Amino acid sequence: MPRQSIIIDTDPGQDDALAILLALAHGDALDVLGITAVCGNISVSGTAANALKVLALAGREDVPVFVGSAAPLVGKLVTADVLHGKAITAGWDLPFSSAAPRPEFAADWIIDTLLSRPAGTVTICALGPLTNIALALAKRPEIADRLEGLVMMAGASQGGNMNAVAEFNVFVDPHAAARVFAAPVRKVVVSLDVTRKLLVTETELRRLTAAKNGITAEVTKLLGLYDACARAGAPRALHDPAVIAMLLAPDIFKGREVNVEIETAQGLTYGQTIVDVNGVTGRPANAHWLTDVDSDAFYSLLCDALARG
Ligand code: RIB
Ligand code: CA
């Protein structure tokens, strides 16, 4: 498989951090051109700072970080502390980074990067709300033709985590998600449908931190909330690394082509990804929706990456 150039758009977030570490551990297969921070789990200043910390931990402060949108396209920012309280920021006492974000606004850097490189050579891995990508598409729609694809952690068709039907990343900015799903670009969707099969049990926690090195020492702290949930018998799903795993080992996933529309109206289903699983609407397929994953193969891939230190 040829080396893939990727942009990671992210709202670190503990699971985002593991996704970034997984990508950096596979430098032979993935060339991380840059990280664009977006508001989501916490404020965009916080997600940018956390991205810098993860890069410092991995010894990769050469990778540029760009600050993106501080708010969704419409309405006020809802951060993940509504889900997890202050635990969403726990474990982030990683080594301080001396690096700083670059001055260019994230959406502008995405545009510049896509327009300056050959078409079809850059993939965006979206690990948070889709605001930066929607802004870039709105400013220069032609970047859709430049992208190799967009692999995103987004949505759910079997129950949400922010309301009965909506997943956090889409719920935070459904208007951005609607713009992205309407764009003529290859989209691969890693939803809760798949990530709920990637629960961080006590067994998986032991696997993830078995190799004692600088990376796993910090990952152990980052996974503190997951540890507490596992011990309480309610293991949390590990979401964002599955996006990177899809690039590295697509064969461990199964999926299908479907039409996905986004509910942007306020109310009980705000932020829902409406997936036409039975193809009854006549709307054309606009996404490759993952439906299954080999959990053991996923954790082996992630544990191997973390063990590289
Ligand atoms: O719903 C899970 C998603 O929301 C993950 O990307 C997590 O990091 C948060 O952004
Ligand atoms: Ca995330």
Side-chain angles (χ1 to χ4, degrees), residues 10-13 15-16 41 127-129 153 168-169 239-240:
T10 177
D11 65 332
D15 59 329
D16 304 68
N41 276 311
L127 312 181
M153 195 281 138
F168 178 82
N169 287 336
H239 305 290
D240 294 337

Side-chain angles (χ1 to χ4, degrees), residues 47-290:
T47 59
N50 283 348
L52 289 166
K53 286 183 178 179
V54 176
L55 291 170
L57 174 63
R60 291 299 311 276
E61 291 181 281
D62 59 294
V63 176
V65 173
F66 299 87
V67 179
S69 189
L73 297 185
V74 175
K76 290 185 177 180
L77 174 62
V78 172
T79 53
D81 52 2
V82 296
L83 278 177
H84 312 298
K86 294 306 175 196
I88 195 61
T89 58
W92 276 100
D93 52 341
L94 275 66
F96 176 75
S97 168
S98 57
R102 303 296 175 85
E104 195 173 4
F105 182 56
D108 291 329
W109 178 78
I110 288 171
I111 292 167
D112 292 345
T113 302
L114 292 174
L115 294 183
S116 64
R117 288 174 173 265
T121 60
V122 179
T123 299
I124 293 180
C125 298
L127 312 181
L130 294 165
T131 315
N132 289 340
I133 300 161
L135 288 171
L137 284 164
K139 185 170 182 179
R140 300 293 296 271
E142 66 267 33
I143 63 170
D145 300 327
R146 310 289 298 188
L147 268 169
E148 192 288 326
L150 173 62
V151 186
M152 64 184 102
M153 195 281 138
S157 74
Q158 300 166 17
N161 59 4
M162 283 303 285
N163 61 34
V165 291
E167 177 275 325
F168 178 82
N169 287 336
V170 176
F171 180 88
V172 168
D173 198 342
H175 296 81
R179 277 184 177 273
V180 169
F181 275 88
V185 58
R186 183 178 74 88
K187 295 173 276 291
V188 177
V189 185
V190 179
S191 73
L192 297 181
D193 299 6
V194 166
T195 63
R196 62 170 41 101
K197 300 178 181 186
L198 300 173
L199 298 179
V200 184
T201 64
E202 290 184 86
T203 301
E204 302 305 354
L205 272 164
R206 282 192 296 272
R207 287 180 68 185
L208 287 166
T209 56
K212 300 305 177 194
N213 58 44
I215 294 277
T216 58
E218 300 299 337
V219 164
T220 301
K221 288 188 277 184
L222 281 171
L223 292 178
L225 174 58
Y226 294 78
D227 184 29
C229 292
R231 293 174 187 274
R236 289 185 73 207
L238 193 59
H239 305 290
D240 294 337
V243 169
I244 304 301
M246 179 59 196
L247 293 183
L248 293 170
D251 295 342
I252 72 171
F253 295 89
K254 292 179 182 172
R256 53 186 299 212
E257 298 298 312
V258 292
N259 175 268
V260 181
E261 301 295 335
I262 311 297
E263 180 56 80
T264 56
Q266 290 291 348
L268 293 176
T269 57
Y270 181 74
Q272 181 179 10
T273 41
I274 302 160
V275 185
D276 184 8
V277 292
N278 297 320
V280 298
T281 66
R283 292 192 291 259
N286 59 356
H288 185 69
W289 186 270
L290 300 187

